[in-house]
Amino acid sequence: MATELWKPVDGYEGSYEVSNYGRIRTLKGIISTTGTDILTPCGAGKDRIHLQVALSSNNTARRYYVARLVAQAYLPGYDGEFVRYFDGNPTNCEASNLYYTVGSWLYHQTGSYNRDPNTRHHVFNELEKVDF
């Protein structure tokens, strides 16, 4: 089993870190409801299975998808695109299970989420799976 690696969450350096296992921890000395520094994600979206956590700064909390935080930290070149799961399980946010796509590729896969109908025929070359 690979070693768990931790990196700062973009915009929350010194307060939160994200691991390649898909876990988020606080560095603020605040203990979560589980009695540890690891945050407990909750389900979000229509199906309530896409994991989210609430991060706070300057007394303002904002919710983030765990998969996007992991992608920002561990997937080279990720810039806010759609995050997908190799195993199809949105609760498995390990970095080795994630890859990202553009909206046009997602449209071809699902018939939805296309933000620009003029780009839906573009071909997407999937990133190679990254091992950690």
Side-chain angles (χ1 to χ4, degrees):
M1 184 175 227
T3 303
E4 187 168 21
L5 306 173
W6 292 92
K7 290 185 178 182
V9 174
D10 286 348
Y12 294 90
E13 293 83 356
S15 296
Y16 297 97
E17 289 182 331
V18 58
S19 86
N20 58 321
Y21 287 176
R23 301 191 314 159
I24 313 296
R25 71 179 175 189
T26 180
L27 302 175
K28 299 198 267 187
I30 300 169
I31 303 300
S32 73
T33 56
T34 61
T36 69
D37 58 351
I38 305 296
L39 301 183
T40 304
C42 63
K46 286 191 273 184
D47 49 17
R48 311 294 293 168
I49 59 173
H50 289 84
L51 301 179
Q52 282 188 342
V53 291
L55 305 183
S56 63
S57 176
N58 300 324
N59 294 325
T60 303
R62 184 171 171 206
R63 292 194 166 279
Y64 293 92
Y65 286 104
V66 173
R68 286 189 176 196
L69 295 175
V70 174
Q72 273 183 324
Y74 294 96
L75 297 184
Y78 177 76
D79 192 24
E81 293 87 353
F82 292 97
V83 177
R84 305 288 289 173
Y85 310 86
F86 282 111
D87 67 1
N89 177 4
T91 63
N92 181 0
C93 295
E94 290 189 22
S96 61
N97 187 45
L98 302 178
Y99 65 98
Y100 61 88
T101 65
V102 294
S104 58
W105 180 86
L106 193 58
Y107 178 83
H108 282 295
Q109 297 297 310
T110 65
S112 62
Y113 300 112
N114 186 13
R115 298 176 193 267
D116 183 0
N118 297 320
T119 63
R120 67 179 170 199
H121 298 296
H122 288 234
V123 176
F124 174 76
N125 293 322
E126 185 176 293
L127 284 179
E128 291 183 16
K129 191 170 181 177
V130 180
D131 292 320
F132 293 95

